[in-house]
Amino acid sequence: DIVMTQSPDSLAVSLGERATINCKSSQSILYSGDNKNYLAWYQQKPGQPPKLLIYWASIRESGVPDRFSGSGSGTDFTLTISSLQAEDVAVYYCQHYYSSKRFGQGTKVEIK
Amino acid sequence: EVQLVESGGGLVQPGGSLRLSCAASGFTFSSYWMSWVRQAPGKGLEWVANINQNGRERYYVDYLTGRFTISRDNAKNSLYLQVNSLRVDDTAVYYCARDSTVAGFFENWGQGTLVTVSS
């Protein structure tokens, strides 16, 4: 099974500053048949279900602010919040859907 | 608007059983793969199972096969999860989620139903 490991476990960023979350898969999740990375990112605010932010590693879901971006390929991926807003305080999860499905352990983003 | 509403959670003793339900609306339920994802208190997300459009394909996380059974009733726009031989570490919020039509990520989530396994 493919294991997803996020880093850091938590980070504190000042309002307006950049937040960067990393996600590493234990094997490549780039499928050669379609050249797509089978990776999604979710945001979960306290007391709420997760919300899809990014899929195919870099495609922003409709309605997601453009300060959220995803990048990476193969085994190493990044979610970037370019200018942190107060409403971005949440736990962020990566998820592979290459074979079966598995989430990373989550990264908690707070305001410094 | 897509709506997924879970029910059926509650307090159950170890070894007990529950049937969780998810009522879907706002989309053509029979056209989508559906999943259950759980989250233990204060912990991360864990995909549990999914089922294809006609119910003939079902997949489970390895270590839950045999105790959990996913099913659906397209006539009732409903998804189910039968959970048997419950253990304390099955305590979690169980979310119903709609899979994307193109791949295995989750486009929509319900609010979840809490299952507490305790004596």
Side-chain angles (χ1 to χ4, degrees), chain A residues 18-86:
Chain A
R18 179 184 301 259
T20 301
I21 300 168
N22 301 301
C23 175
K24 188 174 183 67
S25 57
S26 60
Q27 64 188 71
S28 177
I29 53 175
L30 172 62
Y31 178 51
S32 59
D34 57 13
N35 201 37
K36 290 182 176 179
N37 289 283
Y38 282 53
L39 184 101
W41 288 96
Y42 300 85
Q43 175 193 64
Q44 187 177 33
K45 296 181 179 180
Q48 296 184 19
K51 173 189 172 184
L52 176 66
L53 294 177
I54 303 278
Y55 55 95
W56 299 128
S58 62
I59 306 298
R60 203 179 300 116
E61 171 73 333
S62 175
V64 173
D66 61 8
R67 63 180 180 273
F68 291 92
S69 63
S71 62
S73 185
T75 61
D76 293 280
F77 301 90
T78 300
L79 175 70
T80 301
I81 310 172
S82 60
S83 176
L84 191 74
Q85 305 299 303

Side-chain angles (χ1 to χ4, degrees), chain B:
Chain B
E1 179 195 2
V2 173
Q3 284 204 319
L4 300 169
V5 180
E6 302 92 336
S7 61
L11 175 64
V12 61
Q13 292 189 336
S17 297
L18 281 175
R19 190 194 197 203
L20 308 182
S21 300
C22 171
S25 61
F27 65 102
T28 305
F29 179 71
S30 58
S31 296
Y32 288 83
W33 283 75
M34 298 292 297
S35 289
W36 288 98
V37 177
R38 70 180 182 178
Q39 185 171 36
K43 302 297 184 183
L45 300 167
E46 179 182 42
W47 172 77
V48 170
N50 69 346
I51 188 168
N52 79 329
Q53 291 89 336
N54 63 17
R56 292 176 185 164
E57 291 185 55
R58 310 176 193 201
Y59 299 94
Y60 301 88
V61 66
D62 288 350
Y63 49 85
L64 292 179
T65 301
R67 292 199 300 122
F68 286 21
T69 303
I70 189 171
S71 62
R72 67 191 295 161
D73 185 337
N74 287 342
K76 295 182 178 180
N77 289 339
S78 292
L79 177 72
Y80 306 102
L81 186 69
Q82 177 70 40
V83 293
N84 298 328
S85 303
L86 281 161
R87 306 197 287 235
V88 171
D89 61 359
D90 292 319
T91 294
V93 174
Y94 285 73
Y95 293 104
C96 165
R98 189 184 83 168
D99 289 31
S100 163
T101 53
V102 298
F105 54 91
F106 307 112
E107 294 180 321
N108 301 93
W109 299 68
Q111 290 295 316
T113 186
L114 175 62
V115 173
T116 303
V117 185
S118 174
S119 54

